[in-house]
Amino acid sequence: MRQQITLLFLLAATYCFGGEIIVNDSRSLHEALRQAREWRRTNDPRCQGGITITLQKGRYYMQEPLFLRPEDSGTKESPLVIRGIGEKHTSVICGDDRQKHTQLWPKQGMERLISFNKEARTITIPTPPDSVLQDFVSKKSPLEMVVHQRWAIAILRVKDMQVHGDSVTVSFQEPESRLEFEHPWPQPVIGGERGNSSFLLRTTEQRDGIEQLVIIDGASYVRFEGVTFDKTCWNRPLHKGHVTLQGGFPLIDAYKLKEKPGLPWDEGLENQAWIERPVSAVTVRNAHDVDFYSVLFQNLAATALDFVDNVSDCKVTGCTFGNIGGTAIMGGSFAESPREVHRPYTDLAKRCQRLTIDQNFIVDASTEDWGAVAISLGYVRNCTISRNYVSRVNYSGICVGWGWTPHNTGMEQNRITDNKVIYYARQLYDAGGIYTLSNQPGSIISGNSISAPFPAPYATNDRGFRIYLDARTDGFTIENNRTSDDVPNSAGGPLQNLRPISRDEIGDNHPGPNIIFK
């Protein structure tokens, strides 16, 4: 079909947009952006009042990400708007669905480990059915073990299985074997309060596919409106396995301090870890005033939307997130490599500030990586998370903070208000409906409705909380939050019989002295 790009000059428009580029073929999206860029470069009159790229109804398959550069920036008076047609989100920017798993055994849910051997770097499990062993040996079928690790999972590619009657000893490929057994925690728990950690075995039909749909790097005054982002892949486990520290962040190096554990800023510190950031379908960095309004994010295998670094004054408003493999909305630095994550950094929070995440609907996040969350902000300041609906997430619901430190790092004035969080901690514990880390002076947790944590079937302890003030949380005022003792409605109905959350229902892990509870 012949490409068609229709250019319309709008002398007067309801939204005050000057020039409109209508896209009606999947190959036209990159070309439309190039046309808008040329208008900016030549100071074309159609830039007056803004440029709109309108995607007509259809599926726009991406062979490579749409890359918005500094030259694509709008201005406050003349923004760049990429929008869909109508109210049903039928303008779809998409990849292809190649992330498929087949659970082999146990067929129903997970089964408990027998033992975890750090020295031999093996895990012992009950013997699988003969068909599983034969397929692995004779057909060389790729086999993964997914391991429950309290507040995270590990995805380990199986290297070998040695049968010992009613048990099998499993070894794994690199680099995940080294990372799994050298890092002190999270690791599988043997002899926990509720039993040993659990696992499942599965084959994968995964093939490499497109992971990113849009990369905004240096382009400001950009707005996405009424479009759908659909179907991306997550290729990392296929090549490296997936061993995480927390929140879905993969380890790239980690070990335990063996001689004189502790460092000047934390005398009890025993582990060192370097992480990388999970891939995201839509990525924003080095930008300000990048907004998403009434956008649908669905069927995305890793992070959906990520404000990575050097971002400010961005908004996510009225968007819907469904079936997200990792975290739905992420923002701020998490001290990714080359930095070691446990140092009290003071230069990172100012690199992500004044984000507004308001009135979004998030259901079924963390479907691939159970340790991911619905909304996750790291080193940030002056950010607002308000009036969002969060349901069906396998670890924590809303997380703010990083660093595990009582020191002043620049995180401050963050607001978590009037959100509804239900059906969280569905698989992993050490979790909270609202979860915080480190010192964040002037911050607020107020007016939220949070259900009791889900009775996770494979948890090895009972550390699930409505609000969890984890390692060195400080500086928060906590007031007017409510909960219910009733099981939340699976259809997403209102929480019944709400009552105030009491102080003794809030999880503590060495909080600071400046927590105010009202």
Side-chain angles (χ1 to χ4, degrees), residues 59 61-62 92-98 209-213 228-233 281 297-301 323:
R59 297 185 70 82
Y61 290 95
M62 307 297 290
V92 183
I93 301 172
C94 58
D96 57 359
D97 183 12
R98 298 187 178 187
I210 187 167
E211 297 180 302
Q212 296 184 280
L213 300 175
T228 293
F229 294 108
D230 187 24
K231 291 190 176 179
T232 54
C233 293
F297 297 81
Q298 65 180 13
N299 307 318
L300 306 172
N323 190 25

Side-chain angles (χ1 to χ4, degrees), residues 25 50 87 95 114-115 166 184 198 224 260 296 313 391 403 435 479:
D25 185 276
E87 298 179 355
I114 295 174
S115 66
D166 59 358
S198 301
F224 284 83
K260 298 181 179 179
L296 173 59
D313 301 288
S391 179
Y435 173 100
E479 59 184 349

Side-chain angles (χ1 to χ4, degrees), residues 132-152:
V132 175
L133 297 173
Q134 290 169 2
D135 283 350
F136 177 71
V137 173
S138 61
K139 297 181 181 180
K140 306 296 183 184
S141 301
L143 193 61
E144 296 177 333
M145 180 184 287
V146 180
V147 184
H148 187 294
Q149 303 195 147
R150 190 157 281 185
W151 64 84

Side-chain angles (χ1 to χ4, degrees), residues 55-60 90-93:
L55 279 67
Q56 292 190 336
K57 178 180 178 180
R59 297 185 70 82
Y60 297 85
T90 55
S91 302
V92 183
I93 301 172

Side-chain angles (χ1 to χ4, degrees), residues 58-69:
R59 297 185 70 82
Y60 297 85
Y61 290 95
M62 307 297 290
Q63 303 302 317
E64 59 180 333
L66 185 69
F67 189 5
L68 278 70
R69 303 166 171 84

